Amino acid sequence: MNYRSDIRNIVIIAHVDHGKTTLVDAMLKQSKVFRDNQIVGKLIMDQGVLEREKGITIMAKNTAVVYRRVKINIIDTPGHADFSGEVERVISMADGCLLLVDSIEGPMPQTKFVLRQAMAMGLKPIVVINKVDRENSRIAEVLSSTEDLFLELATSADQLDFPVLYASAQEGTAVTELGMKGKDLTPLFECILGKVSPPQIESGTFQMLVSNLDYDSHKGRIAIGRIWRGKVAPHDPVVSVGTDGSVTPYEIGEVFTYLGLKRLKVEEAEAGDIVAVTGLEKVTIGDTIASLERPEALPRIKIGEPTVEMTFGVNTSPFASREGRFCTTRQLRERLYKELETNLSLRVQDTDSPDTFLVKGRGELHLAILIETLRREGYEFEVSRPEAITKVVDGKLMEPVEVLTIDTKDEYIGALTEMLGKRQAQLTDMRNDGHNNVRLVFHVPTKGLIGFRNAFTTATRGESIINTTFLGYEPYHGDIISTRNGVLVASEQGIAVTYGLNNAQGRGFTFIEPGTPVYEGMIIGLDSRPKDIAINVCKEKKKTNMRSSTSDIAIKLTPSIQLSLEQAIGFINNDELVEVTPENIRLRKKLLTQAQRLRDISSSRRSIKK
């Protein structure tokens, strides 16, 4: 077996906000891939609009730097558990992993999830403890926790012999020992060259596994992956081996490698390279591209099953087709099934209704990002409340369970345990650092986490951090009774006015401002009582000849509550929908008229009695 000493392939693993993208920024800048006068800014790899808005990495990406004539291919991965499918599909391209751990928070649940996969694939780990320059860092405790994690997950003795570096990604420095003054990232680059194995080169004809897809309006579909065997050049005849073993012939158009943020066109690429190739019109992620002489398939990428589902349907409200460019069933269906080509964690199914589709994902955020992406592209549709996906195993109903980790203050322990107790959560661990900071670990059914983040943020006043990761399936724990109050529902179509909203605010909190168009069945607020109330917010004050001394005083309304998309999805009940358009996010009842809702309640009661 031969090796390519001029290449290293690494994947960076880290939890959300542990500094992964900032570290990649520093590696790119210090490797001189940009001009000295080039303005590149921060969070260079997070180029998507949603990624920059939310401050998280959503899509896995490739980049590369050159250090001492060795090309280091870097695979940047998401840190949020809902996008773990992005990690699963690209981790096979690497020979080593860079585990980035925050010097205060230490290893988090998502870190454990991804590291387990890296260990199972035999990747050589390098641990980087980041943010060591912070005053309240716990470097010794974090290193001890990381060592315990490796003892639990390592599949060979070699993986326990990992190097540790101490870095400040913000400053662009790394050192091999605490107390040393860092100058740059040279120790990190040297460690990668010395500890990460170079790619193994198998003799034979061309073979490549497609791990990602891109699209260019001129070049068409672009297949991205690592070459495992042989060489490839433009105009080479190849075949793609699909899921069912079917073989489709193609001719390679162009071949690109990565350097910095650019794709560089090359005349030839060899085994060990991570490349992008064109000319393959119908190839999908997981397919093998091979030579005509030996069309052998590589093991397909294994992706974990989704845990949450919700319905996507054509907008059926009275305001349908007013604000969106794509409003029909055909357009929505085509877009959802097209998403399956790159979003491997997603599942889409047709339902009994031709206008409704069942969409399954890894979590609320995973589906919320899809909804927001479609909304910004001009699609108009409606979605239901997310539900946990259950399955039957050996005749028993099973449901997904997750590990919930909360970093909070002492004063919020009581409120959080009470809230989670109603959601069938079980406390498995509680640790206090002696400085009023507590880490709580729960095992909770996935259905108990739906809509929890909103209540969590309110209860802890935004002073706590929540993280989840999938644990497995357990016997069904029973139904959870909703603790949400009723809603205020518009009883008439028209324009909301101050007088009508003032009456509504006497019953609860409102979600809309004066001048907002409303329709019958649209949810305009939260009631202070358990039952729903229909109210006319378009009602104006009657005009009379009588005037009082205070009649000219303007009515002052309490500012309305503006729900984000994620909050709206977690807020609604099973008999409600979220109407999503490029311009607005509205809440509504599935049955719009009061008469329909009363008939539905009556029929439900009759069926229960029977």
Side-chain angles (χ1 to χ4, degrees):
M1 189 72 69
N2 298 321
Y3 294 87
R4 279 193 65 180
S5 59
D6 61 334
I7 284 184
R8 300 292 188 275
N9 296 320
I10 63 167
V11 60
I12 299 186
I13 298 169
H15 195 73
V16 177
D17 202 33
H18 280 202
K20 167 177 51 62
T21 305
T22 305
L23 181 65
V24 176
D25 284 0
M27 295 175 73
L28 289 169
K29 291 174 181 177
Q30 293 187 24
S31 60
K32 302 297 182 181
V33 298
F34 305 116
R35 300 189 311 271
D36 292 337
N37 63 343
Q38 187 173 353
I39 300 175
V40 293
K42 297 180 179 180
L43 304 179
I44 303 169
M45 294 297 290
D46 288 345
Q47 296 179 331
V49 176
L50 282 176
E51 289 181 320
R52 288 192 171 274
E53 285 184 8
K54 297 184 176 296
I56 59 174
T57 301
I58 296 173
M59 302 293 292
K61 307 173 190 68
N62 298 90
T63 187
V65 300
V66 176
Y67 177 77
R68 289 205 292 124
R69 298 183 180 180
V70 176
K71 185 175 185 179
I72 303 174
N73 286 309
I74 302 170
I75 305 166
D76 186 18
T77 61
H80 199 287
D82 282 23
F83 308 109
S84 55
E86 291 290 307
V87 182
E88 291 169 334
R89 68 177 174 80
V90 299
I91 201 170
S92 62
M93 292 193 289
D95 298 300
C97 65
L98 210 63
L99 177 64
L100 199 65
V101 182
D102 189 287
S103 64
I104 298 175
E105 296 183 356
M108 299 297 284
Q110 171 67 0
T111 310
K112 180 178 180 179
F113 174 82
V114 181
L115 185 62
R116 178 186 285 113
Q117 294 182 318
M119 292 294 196
M121 299 188 69
L123 301 188
K124 181 66 176 179
I126 297 174
V127 174
V128 179
I129 299 179
N130 191 28
K131 305 182 183 179
V132 295
D133 53 339
R134 295 178 65 173
E135 293 182 1
N136 52 348
S137 60
R138 305 181 301 114
I139 299 174
E141 295 91 332
V142 167
L143 180 58
S144 177
S145 301
T146 305
E147 291 172 343
D148 293 342
L149 183 62
F150 272 85
L151 283 171
E152 179 182 349
L153 301 180
T155 58
S156 66
D158 293 340
Q159 291 175 333
L160 296 176
D161 183 23
F162 56 87
V164 180
L165 287 87
Y166 307 91
S168 170
Q170 193 73 38
E171 299 295 329
T173 61
V175 295
T176 55
E177 294 182 11
L178 275 176
M180 295 177 62
K181 185 173 178 59
K183 295 181 180 179
D184 52 29
L185 293 177
T186 298
L188 176 60
F189 286 123
E190 292 289 345
C191 189
I192 293 172
L193 265 58
K195 298 296 183 178
V196 176
S197 303
Q200 293 184 357
I201 306 303
E202 181 183 348
S203 59
T205 57
F206 174 64
Q207 191 181 43
M208 164 185 163
L209 181 66
V210 179
S211 299
N212 200 357
L213 291 176
D214 199 356
Y215 183 81
D216 184 271
S217 57
H218 298 289
K219 299 179 176 62
R221 182 168 296 192
I222 301 174
I224 302 169
R226 173 176 167 175
I227 301 176
W228 289 95
R229 189 177 69 195
K231 301 178 181 180
V232 65
H235 308 298
D236 280 356
V238 296
V239 296
S240 68
V241 185
T243 308
D244 56 356
S246 59
V247 175
T248 307
Y250 292 105
E251 180 182 307
I252 296 293
E254 296 176 309
V255 181
F256 300 88
T257 58
Y258 289 87
L259 183 63
L261 303 182
K262 298 180 180 179
R263 288 191 184 128
L264 302 179
K265 187 176 179 180
V266 296
E267 293 302 319
E268 186 179 73
E270 303 178 14
D273 282 322
I274 294 177
V275 299
V277 297
T278 65
L280 298 90
E281 296 178 2
K282 297 182 179 180
V283 72
T284 61
I285 295 176
D287 288 354
T288 299
I289 305 173
S291 64
L292 291 171
E293 294 81 9
R294 294 177 62 184
E296 300 169 344
L298 289 162
R300 293 193 71 85
I301 299 171
K302 295 181 179 179
I303 301 293
E305 292 297 315
T307 58
V308 174
E309 65 183 16
M310 62 195 305
T311 61
F312 283 52
V314 175
N315 189 8
T316 58
S317 82
F319 293 170
S321 304
R322 291 187 182 183
E323 301 169 356
R325 291 189 296 126
F326 307 110
C327 310
T328 67
T329 302
R330 178 185 59 81
Q331 291 168 331
L332 179 62
R333 187 179 190 277
E334 286 179 357
R335 180 61 182 85
L336 288 174
Y337 278 93
K338 183 180 179 181
E339 184 70 18
L340 297 178
E341 295 177 1
T342 55
N343 198 337
L344 295 192
S345 300
L346 201 69
R347 303 287 187 274
V348 179
Q349 296 177 6
D350 293 337
T351 65
D352 295 336
S353 170
D355 298 329
T356 305
F357 309 95
L358 186 64
V359 181
K360 303 179 181 181
R362 284 288 179 89
E364 283 183 86
L365 183 59
H366 183 206
L367 295 175
I369 291 295
L370 172 62
I371 295 169
E372 182 65 22
T373 301
L374 267 59
R375 185 178 81 87
R376 297 189 181 202
E377 291 176 2
Y379 287 84
E380 184 178 311
F381 53 99
E382 59 192 24
V383 297
S384 68
R385 175 180 171 84
E387 296 181 358
I389 300 173
T390 58
K391 60 182 182 181
V392 178
V393 179
D394 297 330
K396 294 183 179 179
L397 184 63
M398 309 290 282
E399 68 174 340
V401 176
E402 302 189 36
V403 177
L404 171 67
T405 304
I406 298 176
D407 291 306
T408 186
K409 304 287 185 182
D410 281 337
E411 59 191 282
Y412 302 127
I413 294 177
L416 290 173
T417 51
E418 182 181 356
M419 289 169 56
L420 288 165
K422 297 177 181 178
R423 294 171 178 267
Q424 301 177 347
Q426 296 181 343
L427 181 66
T428 60
D429 192 16
M430 182 171 68
R431 298 183 184 182
N432 194 314
D433 66 354
H435 300 285
N436 196 32
N437 299 310
V438 182
R439 173 168 288 183
L440 304 172
V441 181
F442 295 87
H443 286 182
V444 56
T446 299
K447 66 175 183 285
L449 292 175
I450 295 174
F452 173 69
R453 292 179 186 271
N454 298 342
F456 166 80
T457 304
T458 303
T460 61
R461 302 173 186 173
E463 296 180 346
S464 303
I465 300 173
I466 180 174
N467 293 288
T468 61
T469 188
F470 179 67
L471 178 64
Y473 278 84
E474 294 182 1
Y476 192 70
H477 292 217
D479 296 333
I480 296 177
I481 300 175
S482 174
T483 57
R484 196 203 74 181
N485 283 346
V487 290
L488 306 177
V489 186
S491 61
E492 302 286 342
Q493 183 167 329
I495 304 296
V497 297
T498 302
Y499 183 75
L501 286 173
N502 186 52
N503 291 335
Q505 289 191 348
R507 303 295 187 103
F509 303 96
T510 54
F511 297 152
I512 62 173
E513 295 286 346
T516 303
V518 300
Y519 54 81
E520 183 180 6
M522 178 174 161
I523 297 172
I524 52 91
L526 177 65
D527 191 8
S528 57
R529 298 182 179 183
K531 291 186 178 181
D532 298 341
I533 296 178
I535 190 165
N536 184 7
V537 292
C538 306
K539 182 180 180 181
E540 297 183 356
K541 186 176 182 179
K542 291 182 179 180
K543 297 178 181 179
T544 67
N545 292 327
M546 302 298 293
R547 294 290 184 269
S548 67
S549 60
T550 59
S551 62
D552 294 330
I553 298 176
I555 298 174
K556 293 185 178 180
L557 295 176
T558 304
S560 63
I561 299 173
Q562 301 296 318
L563 298 180
S564 67
L565 177 60
E566 291 91 339
Q567 290 172 331
I569 292 171
F571 174 83
I572 59 174
N573 277 335
N574 293 330
D575 64 336
E576 297 162 358
L577 298 170
V578 178
E579 178 187 349
V580 182
T581 76
E583 298 180 14
N584 290 288
I585 295 172
R586 303 183 183 96
L587 308 183
R588 53 160 288 186
K589 288 290 185 178
K590 286 184 179 179
L591 302 176
L592 293 178
T593 68
Q594 178 74 354
Q596 289 175 324
R597 295 194 293 273
L598 290 175
R599 281 197 298 269
D600 184 64
I601 293 172
S602 299
S603 61
S604 298
R605 288 174 178 172
R606 285 196 297 269
S607 62
I608 291 173
K609 288 181 180 179
K610 290 180 182 179

